[in-house]
Amino acid sequence: MFWAAALFALLRPQIVPHYLRPPRRRAHLVVAQTGQFTAGDVLEEPCNVVLTHTNCDFDSLASAVALAKLWSVQRPELPTHVVLPRGANPLVARFLAYHKHLLPIRGFNTIAPSDVRAVGVVDAQTRDRLGPGAAWLEHATHVAVYDHHSQNENDIQPDELVVEAVGSSTTVLVELLQGLSDVPAAALSEAEATLLALGIRADTGALAFPSTTPRDGAALVWLMTQGTSQQAISEFGHARLAQAQRDVLTQALSASVVTEHHGLKVSVVTVDTGRGFITGMARVAEELMELGSSDVVLLGVVHFNAKGHAFLNLIGRCGSRAVTVDLNTLMSSFGGGGHPAAAAASVRLTVEGEHFPGWKGEGEEHELSEEALRAAARLEAEVTPPPRPPRTEPPTHHPTHLSRLSHHPHPTARLLLRPTGAAARGDRRGARSDPR
């Protein structure tokens, strides 16, 4: 028994108190407090950075990881990190909870601005989309922008600008990675290939949006050959509404104002959350369009930031029938942008002195619905297409048009020339009574 206890003591892992353990070494990590920049652990080494836009979506994150992979080959002398300046949408945040350790992502406060060398910007071309990351552009020796929004304005003035008319920014960078397929450093891991596939699927609606091109489909096929996880795509390829988002959707469904303009069903609604910013409103707008069978949805969401300032988030979505509506041009007048069929903007509501319109005194709520509705009405007026001029002369039908139909390969076109009614019966009787 004694020998058994002694053997057990020898085989048992030794438990050392924490005060006797040697301190962990954290190479190149210092505590820095310089100017407005305060961080706990700052990476004290030069590096390249790729920035996503604020409230990062799958296309922005995927194209940032793809550019970091590309720079690991083109700029191998310095490490390249992906940085999310200000948050991500709920579905991307859930993906990162499982896969962040497999991607070259660092926190914004872990990099000193003076250590930034090259800066990459993806899926955006304006400084306001970068949040606090826009300040890093002043420290960079090289700035590159990769985007697929060909109609957007650019106030970054990059050294390298690549804008392609495709459905996703990720597609642009996947094509560049395909050209380096024989370089081992450019090989994609399963997590990276899956993320890039999710990025293309998100911005092309799984290749269903009108802005989708054959290049997007070819890039997605190539990623499948690189080992994408179909199980992960099925899990993260479809957004699930959280309880706060479902509450907004329920409120929007009951308050929507539906009008019809030239055959298009337009739904306009403004809701007040009564709280701070709620992520995932784009998904709410898509659900609202689907449940209401609308062609165009304009959703305005009133919320307050941490300083108590009121904002109206405007989200627009178009269906496949609304080919004449350009939401990108519409939202650009509010300082936003996006795609012709999907765009958004954020409008700060007017301030009167220290209070907002409708302020009733201390302890009262802000009455902002009237101003929000006026902004939504302005949206609806701009979306409505101009009336078509009336025809002055009836269309002229030439016999040649009918002769072309008679040779048309489609049976429906030939059916238009087939005689019907009494004329058809008379023709048949005449044919039978004809002795010839």
Side-chain angles (χ1 to χ4, degrees):
M1 196 70 181
F2 170 79
W3 295 109
L7 182 61
F8 176 78
L10 289 174
L11 296 178
R12 185 180 60 182
Q14 298 298 317
I15 301 177
V16 182
H18 67 88
Y19 51 84
L20 296 179
R21 297 174 188 169
R24 295 180 179 178
R25 292 183 178 181
R26 295 187 295 179
H28 306 294
L29 291 178
V30 298
V31 176
Q33 293 183 356
T34 57
Q36 296 181 349
F37 184 85
T38 303
D41 289 337
V42 181
L43 187 67
E44 195 181 43
E45 66 175 5
C47 62
N48 301 322
V49 171
V50 181
L51 294 171
T52 69
H53 56 65
T54 56
N55 194 27
C56 174
D57 56 18
F58 267 126
D59 187 36
S60 183
L61 178 62
S63 50
V65 170
L67 182 55
K69 176 68 71 173
L70 184 67
W71 279 4
S72 68
V73 178
Q74 296 179 346
R75 301 172 176 270
E77 62 277 0
L78 293 177
T80 301
H81 306 298
V82 174
V83 176
L84 285 65
R86 187 183 293 152
N89 68 36
L91 193 59
V92 173
R94 193 161 65 90
F95 177 86
L96 290 176
Y98 293 95
H99 304 92
K100 183 177 180 180
H101 64 288
L102 302 174
L103 303 172
I105 297 178
R106 286 196 66 89
F108 178 79
N109 291 332
T110 65
I111 299 177
S114 58
D115 290 332
V116 174
R117 297 298 181 263
V119 173
V121 178
V122 293
D123 203 30
Q125 300 183 46
T126 56
R127 292 173 176 264
D128 60 340
R129 299 288 315 274
L130 304 179
W136 287 0
L137 299 175
E138 308 302 328
H139 300 269
T141 58
H142 179 82
V143 177
V145 173
Y146 289 81
D147 196 11
H148 69 119
H149 303 97
S150 56
Q151 301 176 348
N152 282 8
E153 297 182 358
N154 191 320
D155 62 0
I156 295 178
Q157 297 180 349
D159 304 294
E160 180 184 357
L161 176 62
V162 179
V163 179
E164 299 284 348
V166 292
S168 167
S169 296
T170 308
T171 299
V172 180
L173 289 147
V174 167
E175 291 177 340
L176 296 176
L177 289 175
Q178 282 184 269
L180 301 174
S181 56
D182 56 340
V183 180
L188 297 175
S189 65
E190 180 182 357
E192 292 170 338
T194 302
L195 173 61
L196 268 56
L198 286 170
I200 295 177
R201 285 174 51 90
D203 253 33
T204 62
L207 305 181
F209 289 167
S211 59
T212 306
T213 67
R215 294 169 59 183
D216 300 301
L220 193 57
V221 169
W222 181 78
L223 289 171
M224 294 182 67
T225 65
Q226 303 303 303
T228 58
S229 170
Q230 294 301 113
Q231 181 179 0
I233 288 177
S234 64
E235 180 178 355
F236 298 101
H238 303 282
R240 302 184 181 93
L241 295 182
Q243 182 59 49
Q245 298 162 354
R246 290 197 295 268
D247 293 342
V248 174
L249 177 61
T250 302
Q251 186 179 355
L253 284 171
S254 60
S256 294
V257 177
V258 181
T259 55
E260 186 171 336
H261 301 288
H262 299 286
L264 294 180
K265 187 177 179 182
V266 180
S267 297
V268 179
V269 61
T270 303
V271 297
D272 190 345
T273 64
R275 58 169 117 179
F277 177 74
I278 299 178
T279 59
M281 290 298 100
R283 182 58 183 163
V284 172
E286 293 168 2
E287 287 285 340
L288 183 63
M289 183 172 64
E290 182 178 352
L291 295 175
S293 301
S294 300
D295 299 303
V296 181
V297 164
L298 300 172
L299 172 64
V301 182
V302 179
H303 70 91
F304 296 88
N305 64 7
K307 297 180 180 180
H309 298 156
F311 286 83
L312 175 64
N313 280 357
L314 305 171
I315 303 102
R317 289 295 184 269
C318 287
S320 58
R321 295 180 64 247
V323 294
T324 60
V325 178
D326 188 357
L327 292 176
N328 179 45
T329 303
L330 168 64
M331 294 298 181
S332 63
S333 62
F334 293 91
H339 304 271
S346 182
V347 180
R348 180 173 176 177
L349 299 181
T350 307
V351 180
E352 295 180 354
E354 295 295 328
H355 306 302
F356 299 99
W359 176 263
K360 295 183 179 179
E362 191 67 21
E364 298 286 344
E365 295 184 353
H366 294 244
E367 298 293 340
L368 300 169
S369 57
E370 291 299 324
E371 183 169 358
L373 286 173
R374 286 196 299 270
R378 177 184 171 188
L379 273 176
E380 181 182 3
E382 294 192 21
V383 164
T384 305
R388 297 178 181 177
R391 286 183 175 178
T392 56
E393 297 181 358
T396 304
H397 297 282
H398 300 283
T400 54
H401 295 169
L402 299 179
S403 62
R404 291 173 186 171
L405 284 176
S406 62
H407 299 287
H408 198 280
H410 199 281
T412 305
R414 296 195 300 269
L415 186 62
L416 295 175
L417 300 178
R418 184 178 301 171
T420 58
R425 290 193 299 272
D427 290 346
R428 287 196 294 270
R429 294 192 189 101
R432 285 194 298 269
S433 61
D434 191 350
R436 292 176 294 178

